[in-house]
Amino acid sequence: MHAIALTKDNRVLTWGVNDDKALGRDTTWAGGVRDVDAEDSEDDDDDDTGVNPRESTPAQIDNGELGPDDIICKVAATDSASFLLTTDGFVFGWGTFRGADGIIGFAKDIRVQPTPMLIAPLQDITDIACGSNHVLAIDANGKVWTWGSGGQFQLGRKPLTRHGGPTATLQPQPCGMFGKKHYAVDIAAGSYHSFYIDNQNQVWAWGLNNYSQTGHYDDTGKDDAMILQPKLVDSLKDAGIATIAGGEHHSVACTKDGKLLTWGRVDGHQVGHPDSLFTEDNAVFDENKKPRILLRPTAVPHLDTKFVAAGVDTSFAIDAVGRVLSWGFSANYQTGQGTTDDIEVPTIIENSAIRSRDIIWAGAGGQYSVVAAEYESDESPPVNGK
């Protein structure tokens, strides 16, 4: 329930919920809140909504342990923490990690970290990716590091020691054996599952698998189905995956030749296929004969895709001409389609604000989504922030 953005002049802006210091800055506000039950509530100032403007307005993070010469190249967010990557390969973060029983902590002796802190022992990191409460990082040698909550085996490794306790997973560690012959070239994370693509362009996945969101079929349909460590995804073997993204219980990918592939949970139209697609051969059905899981990564026809993104139950694809399509759960309008009805199949967002824009990026949180367009230098300056 928060967002993080990196500007071209090396500023990091955050906004949203700051209960666990995920914004990386002080948002203390002395303003009052409107009592909606008060008898005179109709006479209250319409602008006094009870929202803390220091949270809801994008603002620059505190420096914390960041130095004046640190140049930032990537930002990413979990549910309750935020992270950034510098051009010289260091990772900084703030906030906290949560598990099934509440706050785990941010580091071994830190419950909640309010401002940017260097994440040791990470060095020479080239990319980061975040799930709901875990983080992946890939270094210059193609080694994948993970840390955070590991309750669904989304870290792909055992804790540091048998007696390390719940905070043992907060220390970054490699999630497998990597070397000159086998190394990672890309990483991605769903809410509780993870991916990397190796130097042979094969996909490896692990973590929660109750809806086959990893692409594996192990114990599909069972609540406690989990892939304990990185495992080659046979269903994506030789698919030529260019980009992959995970939602909560589904995943999406685009191939190097522009195909859009989806799989996993289907009851909120997360996979973007019509009900007529699902058969006994490719799906799992419930006792009422309704489809629950699309097992095999399946192409959505007639799309030339260059980018994919996934929120909890909502997904996005950008096509070759810069149009953005969305599908899935839309109860909070997070599909951008102007409706609270689920969007069954990938549908172009026909919104006047972006209709003539070249969309270059999309992302989604739990109940909201964001798209970014190519900046046009001859645009008029914003008026009243719009």
Side-chain angles (χ1 to χ4, degrees), residues 150-379:
Q152 291 78 33
F153 285 89
Q154 59 267 56
L155 303 184
R157 59 179 175 87
K158 295 179 180 179
L160 292 176
T161 65
R162 180 178 299 177
H163 303 293
T167 64
T169 59
L170 302 181
Q171 177 78 359
Q173 287 287 315
C175 66
M177 299 296 293
F178 301 93
K180 293 183 178 180
K181 292 185 178 181
H182 174 79
Y183 54 89
V185 298
D186 200 4
I187 51 175
S191 292
Y192 309 106
H193 61 295
S194 307
F195 300 98
Y196 75 78
I197 301 175
D198 71 13
N199 54 307
Q200 301 298 319
N201 206 49
Q202 301 300 319
V203 178
W204 297 68
W206 62 98
L208 185 64
N209 197 47
N210 51 345
Y211 287 89
S212 282
Q213 56 265 53
T214 65
H216 298 300
Y217 307 141
D218 306 50
D219 294 327
T220 293
K222 296 182 179 179
D223 290 341
D224 59 351
M226 300 175 197
I227 307 299
L228 307 189
Q229 58 190 12
K231 180 180 176 182
L232 181 67
V233 182
D234 288 332
S235 62
L236 291 171
K237 193 173 184 180
D238 303 322
I241 299 299
T243 307
I244 195 166
E248 185 171 47
H249 297 131
H250 76 290
S251 299
V252 297
C254 69
T255 66
K256 292 182 177 180
D257 58 359
K259 291 187 178 68
L260 171 63
L261 303 177
T262 68
W263 63 98
R265 187 171 183 169
V266 307
D267 57 353
H269 299 294
Q270 295 93 327
V271 297
H273 291 285
D275 287 345
S276 58
L277 173 94
F278 306 119
T279 68
E280 296 290 344
D281 293 329
N282 66 16
V284 173
F285 291 75
D286 64 18
E287 61 274 9
N288 297 317
K289 303 299 182 182
K290 291 185 177 295
R292 292 184 61 226
I293 303 167
L294 177 61
L295 291 170
R296 181 171 295 276
T298 303
V300 176
H302 313 305
L303 284 180
D304 186 3
T305 307
K306 64 179 183 181
F307 178 89
V308 292
V312 172
D313 294 303
T314 308
S315 299
F316 296 84
I318 299 174
D319 68 13
V321 296
R323 299 177 302 179
V324 59
L325 303 92
S326 66
W327 65 96
F329 191 64
S330 193
N332 296 290
Y333 298 97
Q334 57 265 61
T335 60
Q337 301 286 354
T339 178
T340 57
D341 294 333
D342 293 349
I343 305 300
E344 184 179 42
V345 298
T347 304
I348 295 171
I349 300 179
E350 287 285 0
N351 178 277
S352 59
I354 66 171
R355 189 171 293 139
S356 61
R357 301 276 192 166
D358 181 14
I359 303 301
I360 57 174
W361 180 87
Q367 301 171 10
Y368 69 96
S369 304
V370 181
V371 297
E374 190 73 40
Y375 177 71
E376 299 174 8
S377 59
D378 59 349
E379 289 182 18

Side-chain angles (χ1 to χ4, degrees), residues 37-61:
D37 296 322
E39 293 182 1
D40 61 347
S41 61
E42 294 182 0
D43 298 327
D44 284 352
D45 187 344
D46 290 338
D47 291 333
D48 187 7
T49 61
V51 174
N52 179 344
R54 298 198 64 190
E55 288 187 340
S56 59
T57 304
Q60 191 167 345
I61 63 170

